Every structure is written in C-alpha cells, then in structure tokens.
Amino acid sequence: MFDFDMLGLNKVLRNALKAGGFDKPTPIQNQAIPLALEGHDILGLAQTGTGKTLAFGLPLIAHLMEDETRPQTRTARALILAPTRELVNQIADSLRHFTMNTPIKIATVVGGQSINRQIGTLARGVDILVATPGRLIDLMDRRAVDLRQARHLVLDEADQMLDLGFIHALRKIAPALGTPRQTMLFSATMPKQMEELSRAYLTNPRRVQVSPPGKAADKITQSIRYMEKGEKPKVLREILSRDPEALTLVFARTKHGAEKLMKGLVDDGFNAASIHGNKSQGQRDRAINGFRDGKINILVATDVAARGIDIPGVAYVINYELPDTPDNYVHRIGRTARAGREGEAIAFCCAEEVDLLVQIEKLMKVEIPVASGTRPKAVKMEKPQRGGGRGRGPGQGQGQGKGSGKGPGKPAHGRPFADAKPQGRGPRRRRAA
C-alpha cells in the first residue's frame, strides 16, 4: 500500500492526515493499521521514531468513532499505558490532532501533576486515557477511575515498562478493563519476559515487525571517540562549539551527573537545559518545549528522555556517558534522524565503559566507526554502593527508600526512577508515577 487512503481509515481521519502533511504511511503503520481496524490484537516490534503512535492511535480513534458511545462519569473507553511522563504527553499531543473535529476526549494522568485536577478530569469521563502505570494505580486506589468500560488497551514501549518495574502494576491494571477487548502491545525489543507478557494479555495476536531489534535508523551516522574520562568535558565543548546553533541532545548516566554537566555548560556560555527524574513536571515540560522551539539548543538528559522526545530537528545525539543497558543506546540515538531527516550520533568511551560498548556493538551486530583515539583495555566500573537509598539505574542517580542500591535498572519497590518524585529527608510522600 502506498497511501493512507488504501488502509481503510474513515474520511475524517484521512482529511486530518492530509491537513497534517502525512502523505504516506510508514512500514509499521502500513502493516498494523489494517489488522487493528479488523479488530485483531497486535504485537508490534519497531524502534522509536518509526511511527508507532499512529499505528495504534489511528485505528483506536476509528473504532471509538464507530461506536459513538459516550463515556460515563469516572470511566474511560480506551487506555494507553506508557512508561514516562514525556512519552504520555507526546502520545496525547499526537492523537489530539486527529480528534479535534470529533467528540472524542483525550486525557493524561502522570505523576508530578495535581492528582486532584486529574480526578476532576476523570469525573467527567474520557474516551482515551493516556497514563503512566504508577499514577493510574493511585487513581484506581482512590476509586477515581473505573476501567470496566474500556474495550481497548495499548501498551507502548512495553519493554521499557518492564525494565522500570511496572510488571506488577500491569498485572493489577489489565484485569480491571472490560472484556472482550482489543489489546495492542508495541515494543522495541522482545526479551523472554515480553513474550510471557504477550501470551498473558494478547489473544491470537498478529505480529508486525519492521526492523530487527537493536538496529538503528539507517540515516544515523554513528561514531565513537575514545578518551580518558577527564578529557570528556573538553571534547564535548569542542564539538558543541563547531555547530553552536544545532539542536544537540547530550546523554548522561545519572541525574546528578546530568545536572552538573548542564550547569558547567551554562557557566561556559552554552545555551543548555537539563531533564531528569529530579526535575518537576513543569521544569521538564519547559525544558522540552524550549528545546523544541529552539530557545534552548542543548538538552542534557538521562534515559528518562531516551524514548520520550520526538523532535524532528535534533541534529546531534552525544552519548557523554554510555548507558548501562545496551538497548538504551539504540533508543538514545533514535532521537535524531527522525521524520526522514539525517542525524549524527557521537559516543564518548573511556576505559571504564569499554565493556558497555562491547555489549552495544553485540546487540546492534555492527562495529561503530572510530572517529578518534584507540580502544583502551577495559577497566571495571566502580560499583554503586548498596543501601542508603542511592542506586544507579540507567540514567537515574537515586533510588527510593532504604537499601535501594540494587544494581542497574532495578528501582526499589518496583518504583520507576524515570517517573519518581525527588526524595528528600522530609516526610514520606505518597507514590506518584
């Protein structure tokens, strides 16, 4: 199929696609939309930036428009779950373009925002609810939302939800939805636990896959630069100075490291901001909006942004520190070369990160071209201290509660770092994902 007119979408959605400049479906849309319109459960495998949102969003809206049932108070007709606040907001913004001329209402619930305001929104009923699992559980516990009318469930970036410890939340949320229902699960990778999840929640799913897991977009030019750890600040500033107006996304491993790096860049005259789990929702939104509008041209981030930023104009992604999880490297560099554009991904690698680089190249089945330096002998990274509430998940510097330093990517109590509130020494706060 060569255009959206041939996918079976209704006239309202076809007109909205044309008005938005969407001429041809991407491969994942081409495969998934006809099957989803027929009512099949979908298991989709595709990297970020391949058009997954419309692959599940357009048929979902089409089904709701056909039904014409209006949501009752405190109910939702469809539920979309995503792992981070940024991704939730991105999905909702993308879908609102296609519901502007329809009665369909879209609402979001995420941590870091007023739960009372969200309760008020849900009290009126919504058609599509886009949520992070943690905050949705809070609202379910308060009986602020009833999911029994929901006949559509979408799990987006499901592998990241599992990485962040959301499996227990999914086991509580999914049975609360009505049946029969259509379930669509989209993931960039397919670990064993993902296969188990698909068997548990999908019925005779149709599998669609557009690129092998671990493969980067073709238009991304990758390079690796070997250096001593202490040389990284100088090399970063040299690269940023070569193209000072370009939108550049710089990834650090921890929240503390990202904030320190950003402040150092600002002190040196660079127009930079940061986004990580210790930032409030308002701060994160302002940073992303400023980056999207070009008011800020350097955004320093942890892996909280590895899948939650969809900005076509990002020219460079710099891995100032390599991620602890090789999959996250693919997601990070996928922030550039979006919407058919070209982009460049530059990775810094010191002796302590050589083992991480080996894992990344093994996953991608390629050897990243060397731009400078020589690969040093691998040196084991310093292990994070156990206990005391400070762990090192990928891109996240702090755990929650006592004894949360349990190694990469395993937040305490199943709590995702990417969606956690900053923790201080004050009274214990209610969980808000």
Side-chain angles (χ1 to χ4, degrees):
M1 297 183 183
F2 300 97
D3 57 49
F4 285 104
D5 291 340
M6 303 175 68
L7 296 184
L9 295 166
N10 61 47
K11 186 176 180 179
V12 173
L13 292 177
R14 294 200 306 270
N15 290 340
L17 285 163
K18 291 178 181 178
F22 297 92
D23 299 323
K24 297 180 180 180
T26 66
I28 190 68
Q29 294 163 2
N30 208 3
Q31 294 184 47
I33 289 176
L35 294 172
L37 287 174
E38 292 174 1
H40 296 288
D41 283 7
I42 302 294
L43 174 59
L45 293 176
Q47 301 296 338
T48 55
T50 55
K52 291 197 279 47
T53 301
L54 295 192
F56 63 74
L58 292 176
L60 175 60
I61 294 171
H63 283 305
L64 295 178
M65 292 174 66
E66 290 175 3
D67 189 348
E68 295 185 352
T69 302
R70 299 269 53 83
Q72 299 179 11
T73 58
R74 296 186 298 108
T75 68
R77 300 170 63 202
L79 173 65
I80 301 173
L81 292 176
T84 66
R85 308 171 193 174
E86 283 70 29
L87 190 53
V88 164
N89 292 332
Q90 175 186 306
I91 291 170
D93 290 342
S94 296
L95 297 186
R96 285 191 178 108
H97 171 77
F98 300 95
T99 61
M100 287 189 298
N101 298 319
T102 75
I104 293 176
K105 294 183 292 184
I106 300 175
T108 61
V109 291
V110 298
Q113 295 183 351
S114 169
I115 195 169
N116 291 328
R117 185 177 302 169
Q118 293 171 356
I119 290 173
T121 299
L122 293 173
R124 297 186 289 272
V126 300
D127 294 284
I128 300 175
L129 178 61
V130 193
T132 51
R135 174 50 64 92
L136 181 58
I137 291 290
D138 284 344
L139 291 164
M140 292 170 63
D141 290 343
R142 295 177 183 227
R143 300 186 184 278
V145 60
D146 184 348
L147 299 175
R148 288 176 293 179
Q149 284 193 9
R151 292 294 187 270
H152 302 273
L153 172 63
V154 178
L155 306 177
D156 193 21
E157 302 290 4
D159 52 346
Q160 190 185 17
M161 280 196 273
L162 294 183
D163 289 343
L164 294 175
F166 280 130
I167 184 62
H168 300 295
L170 293 177
R171 288 172 179 160
K172 183 174 182 179
I173 293 169
L177 274 71
T179 56
R181 66 170 179 266
Q182 180 186 41
T183 302
M184 292 183 275
L185 184 154
F186 285 82
S187 177
T189 60
M190 194 65 181
K192 182 178 179 181
Q193 195 176 18
M194 186 62 60
E195 295 178 358
E196 296 171 355
L197 186 72
S198 65
R199 288 195 297 268
Y201 298 118
L202 276 66
T203 303
N204 298 322
R206 298 297 182 90
R207 179 167 174 153
V208 295
Q209 181 173 345
V210 298
S211 61
K215 185 178 185 298
D218 294 333
K219 293 189 176 182
I220 300 175
T221 301
Q222 300 181 66
S223 65
I224 189 79
R225 294 171 182 260
Y226 294 111
M227 65 192 72
E228 297 290 335
K229 186 175 182 179
E231 295 177 329
K232 288 187 177 184
K234 178 183 176 181
V235 176
L236 175 63
R237 284 156 175 77
E238 290 175 352
I239 293 174
L240 294 175
S241 298
R242 293 173 190 169
D243 196 354
E245 301 301 320
L247 291 184
T248 303
L249 188 54
V250 181
F251 280 102
R253 188 177 295 115
T254 68
K255 293 179 280 191
H256 173 74
E259 189 69 11
K260 181 179 179 180
L261 179 58
M262 180 274 293
K263 289 181 178 179
L265 290 173
V266 171
D267 289 343
D268 289 341
F270 292 95
N271 186 14
S274 65
I275 174 174
H276 51 71
N278 276 351
K279 295 285 188 177
S280 69
Q281 185 63 44
Q283 290 173 319
R284 289 157 72 160
D285 290 343
R286 285 192 293 274
I288 289 179
N289 291 335
F291 190 58
R292 178 180 289 110
D293 297 339
K295 297 176 182 178
I296 298 166
N297 66 298
I298 301 169
L299 187 63
V300 184
T302 59
D303 282 327
V304 70
R307 307 196 199 190
I309 295 181
D310 184 10
I311 300 175
V314 175
Y316 301 95
V317 170
I318 299 176
N319 279 283
Y320 185 80
E321 295 170 314
L322 294 179
D324 295 321
T325 304
D327 287 332
N328 282 348
Y329 172 84
V330 180
H331 299 308
R332 285 180 177 187
I333 67 174
R335 301 307 96 202
T336 187
R338 299 179 75 83
R341 303 188 185 189
E342 296 182 351
E344 184 172 351
I346 303 169
F348 294 177
C349 182
C350 61
E352 294 86 349
E353 296 170 301
V354 170
D355 285 342
L356 297 177
L357 176 62
V358 170
Q359 295 175 36
I360 291 168
E361 293 181 328
K362 181 179 179 180
L363 171 71
M364 300 179 67
K365 296 181 175 60
V366 298
E367 186 172 328
I368 301 174
V370 178
S372 62
T374 303
R375 179 174 294 193
K377 183 178 179 180
V379 175
K380 288 187 177 181
M381 297 181 66
E382 181 181 348
K383 293 184 178 180
Q385 295 181 356
R386 293 181 178 271
R390 289 184 181 267
R392 286 192 180 216
Q396 323 299 335
Q398 296 182 1
Q400 180 184 358
K402 295 180 180 181
S404 61
K406 294 188 179 182
K410 300 295 183 183
H413 315 301
R415 172 66 186 265
F417 294 115
D419 240 7
K421 288 184 178 180
Q423 302 295 313
R425 293 188 178 181
R428 188 175 180 179
R429 297 182 180 181
R430 181 180 180 87
R431 179 185 60 174

